[in-house]
Amino acid sequence: MTINAERIARDIEAIGGFSETPPDVGFSRPTFTPAWRMARDYVIAEARQAGCQVRIAPTGNVHARPASIAWETPVWLSGSHVDSVPTGGKFDGVAGVVAPLEVLRAHPEAPLELIIFAEEEGTTFNLGMLGSRAWTGTLTVAHLAGLSNRDGVSPLDAGRPYGVDAAAMVHERLDPRGYRGLIELHVEQGPAMWKAGQRVAVVTAIHGRRQYRVHLMGTPNHAGSTKMDDRADALAAAAAIMTGLEALAQRLSSRQDHTVITVGQLVVLPNAINVIPGEVTFTIDFRASTNAMLELGHDGIGQLIKAESARRGICAEWAATESLAAVPLDAGLCERLRAAARQVGVDPLPEAASGALHDAAILAPLLPTAMIFVASRDGISHNPAEFSRPEDVALGAEILAACVNGAA
Ligand code: HGY
Ligand code: MN
Ligand code: MN
């Protein structure tokens, strides 16, 4: 059996059908929900059908490898996530799960373990890559216990019906001796490859990320009887900070390309038409390709919040909720992917850097890690219009197969 683009397309469509929202609104699959379980169980059933043994780990991650290969035998690891952002696309994460699945169908004895990482996006419990961080031990059970989803439930409690086990989790640590390396296939989520007519690429680095939660406290007051000079308007302060962040990102981006800042979440209290907002909470997502730029931007963000809130008599609190360094990926494994690409007729294999974060960034310090990118139509992602050609995902799977089956 060879790698088959139609089977890959069928998998992506099937998993896309497991969503809390209809396709025209977008694909919504928060971790540890019925929609997520259906996607996970679809992959488990297909992996078993392909002759795999399957293990649901106490981290909530799912592992599948050929039944003929003992769990103790070192093999290659490949996988991604099936959780999604709210009303996102159907290729983000899913492409990186169905590609190794298809490799295991076409090569039932491949020295390859498929993994589904739990909660990569961070939009379910307000912190990303929980499954990979729990597995590498860079996230403690106590930290997980302090997180909560839209129902106020922690990933430990929400995950229990899905195999999460806090007590067992501490014994479930990635042992680098158990794997030859991690190769994560993912859609690019940016326009560069599509514009350049590149179908696949090897990813040589992943940008770093700092995330923050900002809380501004002003004075709720009457919208009619309070003159402009007498206001401490938390939302006006937030708006000024946000336009300042956009200008900061543009300045930093002119010094180092692809430096980006996003405010994605905003809560206004009391959120009433005739009340001056007294309290605002918003998030900041800051990315850059070097750690020096992450430091520079971090300082700039703090100075901006301090200055703008002081100018308006607003009390400001902010805290970093995440700090991830920029990660170079393994040069040797990237070279192995280039050789695998040559074997399947892609020569040279284009190169890319990832502005998006991936579980690969969490495992890279422990395992030789590299990524394969597949072009995204017009670079659209985290959006129901997200699209990649199944034949490009299949080409990525062929490179993955040649890499893991290759000699040495
Ligand atoms: O935010 C990201 O970079 C990824 O989509 N989780
Ligand atoms: Mn992703
Ligand atoms: Mn994503």
Side-chain angles (χ1 to χ4, degrees):
M1 193 193 290
T2 56
I3 303 283
N4 180 302
E6 284 70 44
R7 267 199 306 267
I8 285 176
R10 185 202 66 190
D11 290 337
I12 291 170
E13 287 312 309
I15 295 170
F18 308 130
S19 165
E20 293 183 338
T21 47
D24 58 320
V25 171
F27 300 88
S28 306
R29 199 176 308 120
T31 304
F32 304 144
T33 62
W36 185 84
R37 182 194 292 276
M38 287 188 279
R40 181 198 72 170
D41 291 354
Y42 171 90
V43 176
I44 288 175
E46 288 296 315
R48 288 200 167 113
Q49 185 75 23
C52 289
Q53 55 188 328
V54 177
R55 189 172 163 268
I56 294 176
T59 53
N61 300 330
V62 177
H63 303 253
R65 63 164 64 190
S68 58
I69 303 179
W71 288 109
E72 300 69 38
T73 306
V75 294
W76 293 98
L77 188 65
S78 183
S80 193
H81 59 96
V82 295
D83 60 286
S84 78
V85 295
T87 65
K90 63 185 173 188
F91 291 81
D92 179 356
V94 172
V97 170
V98 302
L101 173 63
E102 180 59 15
V103 170
L104 288 165
R105 288 183 181 123
H107 304 273
E109 302 303 316
L112 175 64
E113 180 175 304
L114 160 62
I115 184 165
I116 301 174
F117 291 107
E119 186 54 14
E120 188 277 340
E121 290 290 2
T123 47
T124 306
F125 297 96
N126 295 316
L127 184 67
M129 299 172 284
L130 300 188
S132 50
R133 293 197 226 211
W135 194 25
T136 56
T138 49
L139 202 57
T140 64
V141 167
H143 196 152
L144 285 167
L147 302 173
S148 60
N149 64 11
R150 61 194 173 196
D151 303 321
V153 182
S154 81
L156 300 174
D157 294 333
R160 192 165 298 109
Y162 298 83
V164 170
D165 179 336
M169 194 184 285
V170 292
H171 307 297
E172 175 82 14
R173 287 286 182 263
L174 166 59
D175 178 351
R177 294 165 301 177
Y179 296 97
R180 300 189 57 188
L182 166 68
I183 301 146
E184 179 173 1
L185 181 144
H186 205 285
V187 292
E188 184 195 9
Q189 301 179 293
M193 291 172 65
W194 191 270
K195 278 183 187 163
Q198 297 164 350
R199 301 175 60 197
V200 288
V202 57
V203 180
T204 56
I206 300 175
H207 290 188
R209 180 170 77 183
R210 303 277 177 102
Q211 291 185 332
Y212 305 83
R213 192 162 292 280
V214 182
H215 185 210
L216 302 181
M217 287 149 285
T219 309
N221 219 326
H222 196 291
S225 53
T226 313
K227 291 186 179 176
M228 294 313 285
D229 288 348
D230 300 331
R231 294 179 177 215
D233 183 335
L235 186 54
I241 290 169
M242 287 175 211
T243 46
L245 289 170
E246 188 183 44
L248 172 65
Q250 272 146 358
R251 282 199 309 277
L252 295 179
S253 223
S254 64
R255 291 172 58 171
Q256 187 175 85
D257 187 30
H258 211 145
T259 302
V260 289
I261 299 178
T262 309
V263 174
Q265 261 184 338
L266 174 73
V267 176
V268 182
L269 293 176
N271 204 28
I273 187 168
N274 60 351
V275 181
I276 299 166
E279 216 176 318
V280 165
T281 304
F282 62 90
T283 57
I284 298 174
D285 177 302
F286 167 44
R287 318 272 180 113
S289 59
T290 66
N291 297 321
M293 183 51 83
L294 287 168
E295 276 309 311
L296 190 64
H298 172 81
D299 295 344
I301 289 168
Q303 286 156 19
L304 179 64
I305 295 169
K306 225 180 274 173
E308 207 49 63
S309 44
R311 199 165 68 81
R312 296 163 173 270
I314 297 286
C315 172
E317 293 165 354
W318 68 96
T321 52
E322 181 192 81
S323 175
L324 285 174
V327 175
L329 294 179
D330 185 86
L333 186 47
C334 289
E335 196 43 47
R336 188 181 173 100
L337 285 172
R338 290 187 192 92
R342 277 193 293 275
Q343 257 183 263
V344 301
V346 178
D347 187 13
L349 179 60
E351 280 191 14
S354 180
L357 246 298
H358 305 285
D359 292 298
I362 302 300
L363 271 69
L366 292 168
L367 277 186
T369 299
M371 293 185 70
I372 299 168
F373 262 358
V374 172
S376 295
R377 183 177 59 198
D378 302 330
I380 299 291
S381 182
H382 285 186
N383 177 319
E386 183 182 87
F387 175 80
S388 290
R389 292 180 287 247
E391 55 271 28
D392 293 352
V393 179
L395 181 58
E398 284 177 34
I399 293 171
L400 175 63
C403 179
V404 304
N405 286 322

